[in-house]
Amino acid sequence: MTDFDVFNGDADGICALHQLRLAEPRQSELITGVKRDINLVRRVAAKSGDRVTVLDVSLDKNRDELGRVLGEGASVQYFDHHFAGEIPQSDRLEAHIDTAGDVCTGLLVSRYLKDAFLPWAVTALFGDNLHDAARAAAEPLGLSDEQLAKLERLGTLMNYNGYGSTIDDLYFPPDQLYQKVEPYSDPFEFIETDAAFETLADGFEDDMKRAESVEPVLETDSCAAFVFPCESFSRRVSGVYSNQLARLNPARAHALASQLPGGGYLVSVRAPLQTKSGADELCRQFPTGGGRQAAAGINDLPADQLDAFLAAMQTQFA
């Protein structure tokens, strides 16, 4: 029997898997990638009797491959908060899916584990820019403001590490970042002792300074959009800078389009924090688009569709 752990390469995917494996240790084959690499189930070479765990990637985007894995006789445990569509019916599929705007996969896993490792779920919520939900989830822990700020920082940095068009854009491949986190049941110990935290913090500060110098190409009361150059820093910072903009302007939707080497754009969209809805609907109008209600993206928006995207954004969030 082979175990496969399939997980999004962002803070939520890593923190979700980390909680599960703290509770249920397994030697598994890790399958992950950059945050936008969500068609991960295709890489699972499962056979009858194998166990597959899938975390924080859309079931809808992996529907055919999930059917293949189930058809091979493997059992699948699936945790996610993205648009799923119709959930397949199978005795070998255990699905924990909730697409509410204030939920992340790490929180779903925490509920499944009866909050056994709640600080990591709080970290995941902060990483997904769900700050109010993170603070609410953290209430039973009785953390100080300083401790909450540390978990917020950790979630932000882990999420930052997941953004890029290829692994080469990242400071750590997501499977390696998970393996760095793996020994720590306490996130505060990881923050204080592991050099990976400082590496990410230094890179984050440099990239955010460059991001803040970019002027918007669209700015209204309801929308703002930015176009970033074809550089690795643009792709790394796209998600976390979008999150920061959303927090600073909670009534406004935001989009950050980072130019790709092929000429298209990697797009990150954040719905207004006041509504947390509409981002996925906007992005699904374009090829390679998808995500969740509060935060979504387009992996490769053709350059000649940028104006159409900006118009659609204004319509979506009018």
Side-chain angles (χ1 to χ4, degrees), residues 26 36 56 67 70 83 96 157 183 198 208 224 241 246 250 255 257 308 311:
R26 291 181 186 176
R36 296 295 182 79
D56 201 36
L70 292 169
F83 176 78
H96 303 265
L157 293 178
E198 287 303 319
M208 289 295 278
Y241 189 53

Side-chain angles (χ1 to χ4, degrees), residues 275-303:
T275 64
K276 297 189 182 75
S277 65
D280 56 341
E281 291 181 11
L282 170 62
C283 292
R284 287 204 303 271
Q285 296 176 40
F286 297 88
T288 71
R292 53 191 174 89
Q293 296 179 56
I298 304 169
N299 289 343
D300 192 351
L301 177 72

Side-chain angles (χ1 to χ4, degrees), residues 61-111:
K61 296 290 187 182
N62 288 273
R63 182 177 309 280
D64 292 344
E65 294 297 336
L66 174 60
R68 173 186 60 80
V69 169
L70 292 169
E72 293 290 345
S75 61
V76 179
Q77 190 178 39
Y78 210 118
F79 293 86
D80 190 43
H81 65 136
H82 299 89
F83 176 78
E86 185 176 352
I87 298 174
Q89 298 300 306
S90 171
D91 292 340
R92 291 189 299 278
L93 174 63
E94 177 189 332
H96 303 265
I97 295 177
D98 185 342
T99 62
D102 58 354
V103 168
C104 73
T105 305
L107 184 62
L108 296 179
V109 170
S110 186
R111 290 172 178 172

Side-chain angles (χ1 to χ4, degrees), residues 168-187:
D168 290 340
D169 285 334
L170 312 184
Y171 280 94
F172 300 100
D175 56 343
Q176 290 185 17
L177 184 57
Y178 165 70
Q179 288 166 338
K180 288 181 179 298
V181 166
E182 193 175 12
Y184 300 95
S185 60
D186 180 359

Side-chain angles (χ1 to χ4, degrees), residues 21 240 295:
R21 293 297 157 253
V240 290

Side-chain angles (χ1 to χ4, degrees), residues 30-308:
L30 301 177
I31 297 177
T32 187
V34 297
K35 181 178 174 66
R36 296 295 182 79
D37 185 2
I38 58 173
N39 298 315
L40 295 173
V41 181
R42 74 186 189 281
R43 291 162 50 188
V44 177
K47 59 186 183 299
S48 181
D50 287 349
R51 296 184 297 184
V52 181
T53 303
V54 186
L55 301 147
D56 201 36
V57 292
S58 166
L59 189 153
D60 189 57
K61 296 290 187 182
N62 288 273
R63 182 177 309 280
D64 292 344
E65 294 297 336
L66 174 60
R68 173 186 60 80
V69 169
L70 292 169
E72 293 290 345
S75 61
V76 179
Q77 190 178 39
Y78 210 118
F79 293 86
D80 190 43
H81 65 136
H82 299 89
F83 176 78
E86 185 176 352
I87 298 174
Q89 298 300 306
S90 171
D91 292 340
R92 291 189 299 278
L93 174 63
E94 177 189 332
H96 303 265
I97 295 177
D98 185 342
T99 62
D102 58 354
V103 168
C104 73
T105 305
L107 184 62
L108 296 179
V109 170
S110 186
R111 290 172 178 172
Y112 173 75
L113 298 174
K114 296 181 170 52
D115 294 337
F117 306 100
L118 185 56
W120 286 106
V122 173
T123 302
L125 283 161
F126 277 127
D128 261 9
N129 204 37
L130 298 172
H131 288 227
D132 289 344
R135 293 187 181 94
E139 285 182 5
L141 298 171
L143 300 177
S144 67
D145 289 344
E146 181 183 2
Q147 288 174 310
L148 278 173
K150 287 183 177 181
L151 294 185
E152 177 183 343
R153 180 76 162 166
L154 177 58
T156 298
L157 293 178
M158 291 177 71
N159 206 48
Y160 159 76
N161 183 74
Y163 279 92
S165 59
T166 69
I167 293 292
D168 290 340
D169 285 334
L170 312 184
Y171 280 94
F172 300 100
D175 56 343
Q176 290 185 17
L177 184 57
Y178 165 70
Q179 288 166 338
K180 288 181 179 298
V181 166
E182 193 175 12
Y184 300 95
S185 60
D186 180 359
F188 296 107
E189 184 181 359
F190 174 78
I191 291 167
E192 296 299 330
T193 62
D194 201 290
F197 182 83
E198 287 303 319
T199 298
L200 292 176
D202 291 345
F204 175 82
E205 295 300 331
D206 289 344
D207 285 353
M208 289 295 278
K209 287 178 183 176
R210 297 184 67 183
E212 288 165 0
S213 70
V214 177
E215 296 293 329
V217 297
L218 167 69
E219 190 169 23
T220 71
D221 289 342
S222 61
C223 298
F226 300 76
V227 174
F228 276 40
C230 183
E231 298 182 39
S232 291
F233 99 89
S234 300
R235 298 184 288 272
R236 284 197 301 266
V237 83
S238 60
V240 290
Y241 189 53
S242 298
N243 289 345
Q244 176 175 297
L245 291 169
R247 292 194 301 275
L248 292 173
N249 302 276
R252 197 168 72 177
H254 296 85
L256 198 158
S258 302
Q259 191 169 29
L260 294 168
Y265 295 92
L266 176 75
V267 183
S268 292
V269 176
R270 298 294 180 269
L273 284 180
Q274 290 182 355
T275 64
K276 297 189 182 75
S277 65
D280 56 341
E281 291 181 11
L282 170 62
C283 292
R284 287 204 303 271
Q285 296 176 40
F286 297 88
T288 71
R292 53 191 174 89
Q293 296 179 56
I298 304 169
N299 289 343
D300 192 351
L301 177 72
D304 61 5
Q305 293 189 32
L306 180 60
D307 288 343

